Amino acid sequence: MINIQFSNSGLHMSSRRLGSQSLLRLLGHWQQSASRAPLWRQLADALRLLILDGRLAQDTRLPGERELASTLAVSRTTIVSALAQLRDEGYLESRHGSGSRVTLPGSRPIPTLSTPCASLDLSTAALSAGPEIHQAYTHALAAIAPHLAHTGYNQLGLLALREAIAERYTARGLPTNPDEVMIVNGAVSGLALVLRMLTGPGDRVVVDHPTYPLAIAAIQGASCRPVGVSMPQTGWDIDGFAATLAQTAPRLAYLMPDFHNPTGRCMDSATRAAITAIAARTRTSLVVDETMVDLWYEAPPPPPLAAFATQATVITLGSAGKSFWGGLRLGWIRASTRTIAALTQTRDTLDLGSPLLEQLATLWLMQNQQTFLPARRQMLAQRRDHCAALMREHFPAWHFQPPSGGLSFWVELPEMLATQFAVRAESIGIHLGAGTRFGLSGAFDRYLRMPFSLEHIELERALISLKPLWLALNGTERPAKRSVV
Ligand SMILES: Cc1ncc(COP(=O)(O)O)c(C=O)c1O
């Protein structure tokens, strides 16, 4: 079945007025009929969640009170009270005549994927640094000495690191030379750079649906329109992908074949071959995000998608963030030498390169990864299995397939309850990744992304604390109506 999803919310444009229909879609199922909390409080909670997880960007202007009341089918008093509550808490600012604008409380840090806090964060799928990171920096400090005689500016990145990355691709079945690699400040930064070079305002960019939220943000931030191709029960919808490219003529398609975030799927070789053939036929460039590629638990993934592309243009994004540590803030782009040269020019408008110390540390980590990556995989496989056991024990109505890589489960709930559940979880200091973060226009309220990167004890504490909230929300445990991977 072909299901193309367009996004028209444009939420990530700053100072932009949000349409009431877009807000309605984002809010999803915010009203809890069984709740004793007054409606205005439920609305304030749901809006606060949208602000905290970044779906209502700072500076977004909300529709007027009358329009909101009519679209949400509640009284004007409910709207006024909810907005007043958020104003008191510092999440909204109102100016006479220009309505309410999203802001953040001065005392509160800007929400990020990794804001450190005492509460439990189940909205982020990432690991803290292992002891090898300290070792890597110690080594990098010593190794930086000969570089100090130079300016340190290098937009392509350290040659030795580009050679090491090229060797990794070659070993995975994609012959690569260092001129085809450029070091950037993380995969997301790489995506923003590629979008800046290849797209213009209004261009369409095809994404899997669901997809990685920061990819949606980057695409919308580049004034492009994400177009979603629904993911079927297993694998990828090759026909849907072909039809979407044919019907929407996108500028690019963004894919995550290696432990897709959030579903955890790995694309098989036949699908890789089919997708690249379609891209070649329709002359669509593919941007392949391989951030999770090293986090496999049973068997390594097939060769890089670009290795299947004889005709298609494939730009591959890599990251040190999951293989080593997010704090390194380092990633890379692999593309043809010509594309890399053009990206280097575009980079002039953004930054002048990546920090040398981090590049040296990443080089050391790549050279020594055999001493710690296998153990990390083993630890994560254990955490995955432990998380699966806990969810089966405490949440029998949740459906999921343990992923063979990545850092999280994509959990199907028996009803569209993710937003309400996330709102309630916030009230006890647990941040949840509601499925709506991964969809366009508020889709996936029936899903949660559950990371298994936390330590056993922390995860257990979080899930046990969530259980009474879930039971109160879902009544008795009911089996899911259908099972989706
Ligand atoms: C698919 C995907 N791409 C990119 C990133 C972020 O990568 P980086 O930290 O290198 O920008 C993540 C982090 O979770 C991710 O899951």
Side-chain angles (χ1 to χ4, degrees):
M1 188 187 66
I2 299 163
N3 186 351
I4 303 174
Q5 182 83 39
F6 283 89
S7 163
N8 57 5
S9 57
L11 293 183
H12 297 270
M13 309 292 290
S14 61
S15 265
R16 180 140 177 205
R17 185 179 184 278
L18 181 71
S20 55
Q21 288 302 327
S22 297
L23 184 59
L24 182 67
R25 278 195 295 271
L26 279 175
L27 279 167
H29 300 263
W30 63 274
Q31 285 194 42
Q32 306 163 29
S33 42
S35 169
R36 263 177 282 149
L39 214 49
W40 66 265
R41 186 172 287 284
Q42 293 181 39
L43 178 59
D45 289 346
L47 285 168
R48 189 187 306 103
L49 185 73
L50 288 178
I51 296 170
L52 283 174
D53 72 22
R55 278 177 290 153
L56 271 183
Q58 265 206 89
D59 268 351
T60 303
R61 280 190 292 125
L62 298 186
E65 291 169 2
R66 191 170 309 145
E67 189 182 340
L68 271 179
S70 138
T71 310
L72 301 183
V74 296
S75 72
R76 185 122 180 235
T77 323
T78 299
I79 301 291
V80 170
S81 307
L83 299 187
Q85 173 71 24
L86 292 173
R87 247 190 322 272
D88 287 352
E89 293 173 9
Y91 290 100
L92 285 182
E93 256 177 27
S94 298
R95 266 193 232 123
H96 194 66
S98 67
S100 301
R101 214 168 47 84
V102 172
T103 164
L104 285 166
S107 58
R108 194 177 178 111
I110 291 171
T112 67
L113 287 182
S114 56
T115 304
C117 56
S119 53
L120 277 168
D121 191 357
L122 290 181
S123 68
T124 303
L127 284 168
S128 52
E132 67 278 358
I133 300 299
H134 195 274
Q135 270 179 284
Y137 273 103
T138 308
H139 179 88
L141 260 185
I144 206 167
H147 296 275
L148 301 178
H150 306 280
T151 64
Y153 289 106
N154 183 349
Q155 281 186 308
L156 269 182
L158 199 64
L159 179 60
L161 180 58
R162 291 190 285 119
E163 282 170 347
I165 292 167
E167 273 167 32
R168 277 158 66 101
Y169 281 118
T170 304
R172 287 176 54 216
L174 179 61
T176 300
N177 70 59
D179 291 347
E180 293 170 315
V181 176
M182 170 187 200
I183 310 298
V184 291
N185 300 319
V188 171
S189 182
L191 175 60
L193 180 61
V194 170
L195 286 164
R196 181 175 285 223
M197 183 175 92
L198 290 184
T199 65
D203 279 348
R204 291 177 177 134
V205 177
V206 162
V207 294
D208 296 316
H209 200 221
T211 192
Y212 176 51
L214 292 190
I216 301 177
I219 292 164
Q220 290 179 332
S223 301
C224 296
R225 294 180 69 191
V227 180
V229 183
S230 294
M231 296 185 78
Q233 302 235 341
T234 55
W236 274 258
D237 179 1
I238 297 172
D239 292 341
F241 183 73
T244 307
L245 296 199
Q247 288 164 23
T248 65
R251 188 70 189 83
L252 298 174
Y254 167 85
L255 299 169
M256 291 167 278
D258 304 283
F259 313 116
H260 174 267
N261 186 358
T263 64
R265 289 178 201 176
C266 184
M267 194 183 276
D268 61 26
S269 295
T271 310
R272 289 175 196 238
I275 294 277
T276 49
I278 294 163
R281 208 168 54 233
T282 54
R283 295 174 191 274
T284 310
S285 300
L286 299 178
V287 179
V288 174
D289 184 338
E290 289 192 340
T291 293
M292 299 286 183
V293 73
D294 283 330
L295 301 186
W296 49 266
Y297 307 127
E298 273 76 43
L305 195 125
F308 294 79
T310 42
Q311 305 291 323
T313 301
V314 181
I315 299 175
T316 307
L317 305 173
S319 172
K322 302 297 185 214
S323 310
F324 307 137
W325 185 46
L328 288 161
R329 301 307 323 125
L330 221 71
W332 51 91
I333 302 175
R334 184 211 178 268
S336 69
T337 312
R338 255 178 77 192
T339 304
I340 292 290
L343 283 166
T344 312
Q345 282 187 343
T346 305
R347 191 175 190 167
D348 284 344
T349 60
L350 282 174
D351 63 32
L352 297 179
S354 299
L356 201 47
L357 194 67
E358 273 65 20
Q359 294 188 65
L360 290 166
T362 301
L363 176 60
W364 186 90
L365 288 161
M366 279 186 185
Q367 288 163 342
N368 292 276
Q369 67 178 44
Q370 275 317 315
T371 62
F372 59 86
L373 253 189
R376 167 176 288 221
R377 288 190 190 110
Q378 208 179 0
M379 175 196 79
L380 283 167
Q382 280 169 3
R383 289 188 183 182
R384 172 197 62 182
D385 297 343
H386 178 246
C387 181
L390 284 172
M391 290 195 292
R392 285 193 192 107
E393 181 186 347
H394 297 290
F395 305 92
W398 291 6
H399 274 249
F400 53 85
Q401 274 260 320
S404 56
L407 289 168
S408 50
F409 289 86
W410 184 234
V411 175
E412 184 189 12
L413 307 177
E415 315 256 354
M416 295 209 247
L417 292 170
T419 302
Q420 291 180 37
F421 191 32
V423 166
R424 291 186 178 200
E426 280 292 332
S427 69
I428 59 165
I430 297 179
H431 306 306
L432 279 183
T436 44
R437 277 177 53 197
F438 302 84
L440 303 172
S441 307
F444 300 115
D445 201 20
R446 200 185 164 104
Y447 291 83
L448 274 183
R449 190 190 67 168
M450 182 59 67
F452 51 82
S453 40
L454 255 60
E455 285 184 27
H456 290 201
I457 188 112
E458 264 189 316
L459 184 67
E460 189 155 1
R461 184 158 69 86
L463 291 180
I464 288 173
S465 313
L466 288 170
K467 189 174 178 178
L469 302 188
W470 171 253
L471 286 176
L473 195 60
N474 192 40
T476 53
E477 287 278 10
R478 273 164 286 172
K481 287 178 194 125
R482 65 191 171 88
S483 167
V484 169
V485 178

